Amino acid sequence: QVQLVESGGGLVQAGGSLRLSCAASGRTSSTNAMGWFRRTPGKEREFVAAIRWSGGSTAYADSVKGRFTISRDNAKNTVFLQMNNLKPEDTAVYYCAAGLLGSFSSYYNNQNYNYWGQGTQVTVSS
């Protein structure tokens, strides 16, 4: 099992920044990638970004490219999501996820991730 704990959410004005963290523990060796997803009421969980533990290749949703940056600290089993120039439409509960992913295209599908955190609320006011 892998446990994931997110932190760093909060309330920020449009144009501001937040940094989310996700600390992984347990059998992290059973995973090779981490991702961030978000969900707003009445909508499906939406892919935001993902990163491989080894090599650090990344993927981003078009809606966050150029504003969000995903990074990792392998020594601490922690993944970060730096969110800049936040917009009201970024308001959501953000979840981190871990899995053993195959091809690059698999990053985007939440069903490919085996482990999920509890989520952290991000609210962007206009």
Side-chain angles (χ1 to χ4, degrees):
Q1 289 286 354
V2 175
Q3 294 78 40
L4 303 174
V5 178
E6 303 102 334
S7 61
L11 172 64
V12 64
Q13 288 188 330
S17 299
L18 282 175
R19 189 192 196 205
L20 304 182
S21 300
C22 177
S25 61
R27 292 189 60 195
T28 56
S29 59
S30 65
T31 67
N32 66 354
M34 298 278 287
W36 286 97
F37 290 76
R38 63 188 183 188
R39 180 154 61 186
T40 54
K43 293 188 176 181
E44 294 289 324
R45 201 168 287 189
E46 175 191 22
F47 172 78
V48 176
I51 188 167
R52 279 195 183 271
W53 284 117
S54 177
S57 59
T58 59
Y60 293 94
D62 288 343
S63 59
V64 307
K65 278 181 183 176
R67 300 188 299 123
F68 291 11
T69 302
I70 189 170
S71 61
R72 84 239 191 261
D73 183 335
N74 288 34
K76 296 182 179 180
N77 287 333
T78 300
V79 172
F80 306 97
L81 186 67
Q82 178 66 44
M83 305 185 293
N84 298 329
N85 190 22
L86 282 160
K87 304 175 180 180
E89 52 264 41
D90 294 317
T91 296
V93 177
Y94 283 71
Y95 299 88
C96 72
L100 188 63
L101 274 63
S103 64
F104 183 84
S105 62
S106 66
Y107 286 19
Y108 299 86
N109 187 341
N110 61 23
Q111 296 184 2
N112 293 323
Y113 294 80
N114 305 106
Y115 306 101
W116 292 85
Q118 298 281 8
T120 184
Q121 177 70 46
V122 171
T123 303
V124 184
S125 63
S126 57

